[in-house]
Amino acid sequence: QPPRPCEDYWWEWKHCRGLRHAFHHYYAHGELPACGRWRDDYEACRSWERGRTAAAQEALCESERARVMERQKYAPVWTLRKSPPPDWYLPLDQDKPN
């Protein structure tokens, strides 16, 4: 069974090709989005469902791994705390002059 339903890859490909998404991506990144990967993943997913081919399975799994690694490449902006600060229950210093 593929990691996602094949319709998800089709929807992502259609979304990526949309004018609104292309404009936003160009504004944010300075280049048009590369949508071919979603189309290739959709075709590999369909091939995997139809014929259970090992090549399609490996291509789709490798693409999903690359997508997960790309998402994990960026560190979070904020450092996460393990516990709240020791004085979290005290009132804020709004009344004090600076």
Side-chain angles (χ1 to χ4, degrees):
Q1 172 153 335
R4 301 183 192 188
C6 292
E7 289 76 28
D8 287 356
Y9 296 111
W10 179 257
W11 184 88
E12 289 285 352
W13 180 66
K14 294 297 268 188
H15 173 74
C16 185
R17 290 185 56 219
L19 183 62
R20 186 175 184 168
H21 175 72
F23 180 75
H24 173 74
H25 194 275
Y26 187 78
Y27 179 78
H29 303 285
E31 61 186 18
L32 290 174
C35 301
R37 189 165 109 183
W38 290 112
R39 178 69 179 184
D40 296 341
D41 288 349
Y42 173 71
E43 290 176 2
C45 183
R46 283 294 180 205
S47 177
W48 186 359
E49 282 185 342
R50 270 187 260 122
R52 305 273 189 231
T53 60
Q57 178 182 4
E58 183 58 35
L60 193 58
C61 288
E62 186 62 36
S63 179
E64 284 291 328
R65 279 189 215 104
R67 196 171 288 122
V68 167
M69 292 302 291
E70 185 178 317
R71 203 175 313 132
Q72 291 175 349
K73 183 170 56 174
Y74 301 105
V77 175
W78 305 105
T79 56
L80 301 177
R81 297 192 287 224
K82 301 292 183 199
S83 62
D87 58 348
W88 67 269
Y89 57 89
L90 296 175
L92 298 176
D93 298 336
Q94 295 175 353
D95 302 341
K96 294 183 180 178
N98 291 345

